[in-house]
Amino acid sequence: MKVEIAKGLDMYRASKYLIEVPLDSERIIVYSTLTTSLIVLTRDEYEKVFVQHSFEDNETCDALHDMGMLVAEDESQEETLAELRRGVLNGDDGISGIMIAPTMDCNARCYYCFENGARRGTMSTETADAVADFIIEHCPGKKLYISWFGGEPLLVPGIIDRITYALKTAGIDVESTITTNGILLTDEIIRRFDDWGTYRVQISVDGIGDQYNKTKRLQGIEGDPFEKIVENIKRTLDSGISVHLRINYRSTNRKSIEEGFDFFNGKFGTYENLSLYGAPLDLPDEKGYSEFDESEGNLYLDVLKMSLDNGYEDDELNFRDGVSASEENNIVLGNLLLSPFPAPCMMINKWRFAVDDRGLLYKCQKHLGQERFSCGSVFEGIDANDCYRYFSTDELHDERCENCAIFPICHGGCNANRLMYGDKFACPPSKTIMPKLVMAYYRYLMDNQSREEESDESPE
């Protein structure tokens, strides 16, 4: 939508970044994906401003401008967003965050893993030392966030020990998270978290009972794997560390995700250090998750609301102080995927890398183990090749994205998916259900307002 609206000597146009949702026959919700402002207008008000281009109601026009829904002639929201991307791109003068895969081997054989087809291997001590040396050389701030990834990183705790010890000996303050299937979360491993600076663990599960066992196909595990993972989740939660429990599901399988959520919420829902959420499997060879039909979109929304209604906070983007502190965010907007973000992902930063077991550098974990996507190594340094430049840029790969209403949320979408599968797989899954997400947010605000009013009216 592009509307020119005259107000005195000023000229206004409607922001491109608006989601309009009919509330009823008389009212329309308008939400800004850039500013997160939300307003309910009567249809007459909406028609006058956005259809008839009337500026007679100065108070309404001023309010809409303040909320970022009207843009002055001399303003550019596109440039504001470009400045945000440049801020992420050039935001560091060295490494402040890095993803390390100490092994590309895994004790699970999940059919959907994006690493299927990638080489398997484990990091040698020589490569581990080179990883540490590379970081020490390029970490002037002496504060580092590590995301331990894989493969299954807990197969090689000794390599994690070695790299962490070298970094700490060099005076670098280390914080870390671990992405794991959780089957190796023993008491011994959990005791190491303090040395590793680990404050959060993400555990991925696939259904419950036999479905979990058949999907994971875990190797070398004695007894029932599902019973073991439930025990390990409890052990980790009891330690006090933050646990993100991710339930993977096919975008069409309502029964699986509802059963899984009910089970784990019932089992562990009283733990304040638990964040429980569902994630649709990314299966581009079958059906891209950006192509939800109505039933898939409705299920996706229901899964998001499961987490929200049960009070689970998604703090995935809240980096700790001293590493890359994020702006204070609205938890509900985050859970509903309505929060704006300053870039497609943090990996556009010139100094953000993922490292595989051979010490090769990549701009995304989805490329680990696939040498054709590498951009240097810890031995030879950074190679600003085509793949590096594809990620580390504030330019858009598809100019159409800048005119999309959800552009402030995705900034053009997933570069890795676009590079591997094509443009249509770059879009976030929330795109197909944006109006429903905005309606869910509006209802949350109204419910919250009602609760506050009832509380104010209650006698002390």
Side-chain angles (χ1 to χ4, degrees):
M1 180 193 319
K2 187 172 182 180
V3 180
E4 297 289 346
I5 302 175
K7 179 177 179 249
L9 298 176
D10 295 326
M11 294 291 293
Y12 284 101
R13 63 187 182 278
S15 170
K16 299 175 182 177
Y17 310 122
L18 302 179
I19 306 292
E20 295 109 341
V21 185
L23 179 58
D24 52 38
S25 61
E26 299 296 328
R27 296 174 296 170
I28 294 178
I29 301 168
V30 184
Y31 175 77
S32 168
T33 58
L34 175 62
T35 67
T36 73
S37 297
L38 182 149
I39 191 171
V40 177
L41 299 175
T42 66
R43 286 191 175 270
D44 285 345
E45 290 170 331
Y46 179 84
E47 290 281 330
K48 284 179 181 178
V49 174
F50 294 108
V51 178
Q52 299 174 12
H53 315 165
S54 170
F55 57 92
E56 294 176 359
D57 189 340
N58 291 337
E59 184 176 351
T60 297
C61 288
D62 288 345
L64 291 172
H65 176 253
D66 291 342
M67 289 187 287
M69 296 179 181
L70 292 181
V71 186
E73 186 179 46
D74 59 349
E75 296 173 339
S76 172
Q77 292 183 333
E78 296 84 354
E79 179 57 28
T80 297
L81 291 165
E83 289 177 5
L84 290 173
R85 293 194 298 280
R86 287 192 287 270
V88 175
L89 176 67
N90 303 307
D92 296 312
D93 57 2
I95 295 174
S96 65
I98 194 165
M99 177 174 285
I100 304 174
T103 180
M104 291 300 294
D105 200 3
C106 188
N107 53 1
R109 298 292 184 266
C110 306
Y111 70 90
Y112 57 78
C113 183
F114 62 79
E115 291 176 1
N116 287 333
R119 62 173 299 280
R120 293 180 181 270
T122 294
M123 190 175 286
S124 67
T125 55
E126 177 189 8
T127 301
D129 292 342
V131 169
D133 290 343
F134 175 79
I135 295 171
I136 292 166
E137 179 183 355
H138 297 293
C139 186
K142 299 297 182 180
K143 292 183 181 295
L144 181 71
Y145 161 75
I146 301 176
S147 173
W148 296 106
F149 201 74
E152 173 48 58
L154 296 184
L155 284 170
V156 288
I159 296 295
I160 299 177
D161 284 338
R162 190 180 186 96
I163 294 173
T164 304
Y165 177 78
L167 295 173
K168 287 186 171 182
T169 300
I172 295 177
D173 181 17
V174 176
E175 292 184 329
S176 71
T177 63
I178 300 174
T179 299
T180 173
N181 59 41
I183 207 69
L184 299 177
L185 283 169
T186 62
D187 289 329
E188 179 186 353
I189 290 292
I190 291 173
R191 282 194 292 270
R192 288 176 165 178
F193 286 170
D194 188 52
D195 290 336
W196 296 346
T198 302
Y199 64 90
R200 186 177 70 226
V201 174
Q202 176 181 299
I203 303 171
S204 297
V205 295
D206 298 85
I208 58 177
D210 287 343
Q211 181 187 351
Y212 172 88
N213 293 338
K214 291 177 180 177
T215 302
K216 285 296 185 191
R217 294 185 293 162
L218 287 153
Q219 310 294 299
I221 303 301
E222 295 183 2
D224 184 279
F226 182 69
E227 290 181 3
K228 190 173 185 65
I229 192 62
V230 172
E231 293 172 2
N232 290 353
I233 292 168
K234 183 179 187 304
R235 177 183 293 114
T236 310
L237 286 167
D238 285 340
S239 76
I241 197 167
S242 174
V243 174
H244 279 204
L245 187 54
R246 168 181 168 140
I247 307 174
N248 296 321
Y249 71 97
R250 282 181 173 268
S251 61
T252 56
N253 195 336
R254 178 176 291 274
K255 182 174 183 288
S256 172
I257 181 60
E258 289 182 346
E259 287 181 348
F261 197 97
D262 287 346
F263 176 86
F264 288 109
N265 185 50
K267 195 84 172 174
F268 303 119
T270 58
Y271 285 88
E272 293 185 359
N273 52 324
L274 173 68
S275 177
L276 179 63
Y277 63 101
L281 292 173
D282 187 358
L283 301 170
D285 292 335
E286 296 184 21
K287 184 171 186 180
Y289 68 27
S290 298
E291 300 180 311
F292 281 160
D293 59 28
E294 184 175 359
S295 62
E296 290 172 313
N298 287 339
L299 176 55
Y300 187 69
L301 177 60
D302 288 344
V303 172
L304 292 176
K305 291 173 68 177
M306 287 179 197
S307 291
L308 180 60
D309 291 346
N310 285 281
Y312 293 112
E313 174 184 353
D314 182 3
D315 62 351
E316 191 83 19
L317 302 177
N318 286 345
F319 295 110
R320 314 262 283 186
D321 290 341
V323 178
S324 181
S326 65
E327 297 290 336
E328 182 178 352
N329 72 318
N330 182 310
I331 294 171
V332 178
L333 286 174
N335 279 37
L336 290 173
L337 307 180
L338 288 171
S339 291
F341 198 69
C345 71
M346 298 305 293
M347 297 302 279
I348 79 164
N349 183 281
K350 293 177 179 178
W351 288 99
R352 284 291 176 101
F353 298 99
V355 187
D356 74 4
D357 62 298
R358 291 180 293 175
L360 295 177
L361 303 175
Y362 302 86
K363 293 300 291 181
C364 181
Q365 74 270 19
K366 291 186 176 183
H367 294 159
L368 286 167
Q370 302 181 66
E371 188 171 352
R372 70 185 185 278
F373 294 119
S374 66
C375 50
S377 76
V378 295
F379 297 101
E380 299 176 357
I382 301 165
D383 180 3
N385 57 19
D386 289 346
C387 194
Y388 176 89
R389 293 193 301 271
Y390 192 87
F391 281 82
S392 291
T393 179
D394 62 331
E395 299 296 326
L396 302 179
H397 296 298
D398 188 337
E399 294 181 356
R400 295 173 297 178
C401 292
E402 197 172 52
N403 296 316
C404 177
I406 70 166
F407 182 62
I409 295 173
C410 72
H411 286 263
C414 178
N415 285 326
N417 277 359
R418 187 187 299 277
L419 190 59
M420 291 189 295
Y421 308 125
D423 287 349
K424 69 178 181 178
F425 293 102
C427 296
S430 57
K431 180 177 181 178
T432 58
I433 55 171
M434 266 292 155
K436 293 180 179 180
L437 292 170
V438 170
M439 179 62 77
Y441 180 50
Y442 169 79
R443 287 173 176 162
Y444 170 84
L445 293 176
M446 293 301 99
D447 290 344
N448 193 52
Q449 179 178 310
S450 296
R451 286 191 294 270
E452 290 177 354
E453 290 174 351
E454 290 175 2
S455 177
D456 291 341
E457 293 174 0
S458 298
E460 296 183 0

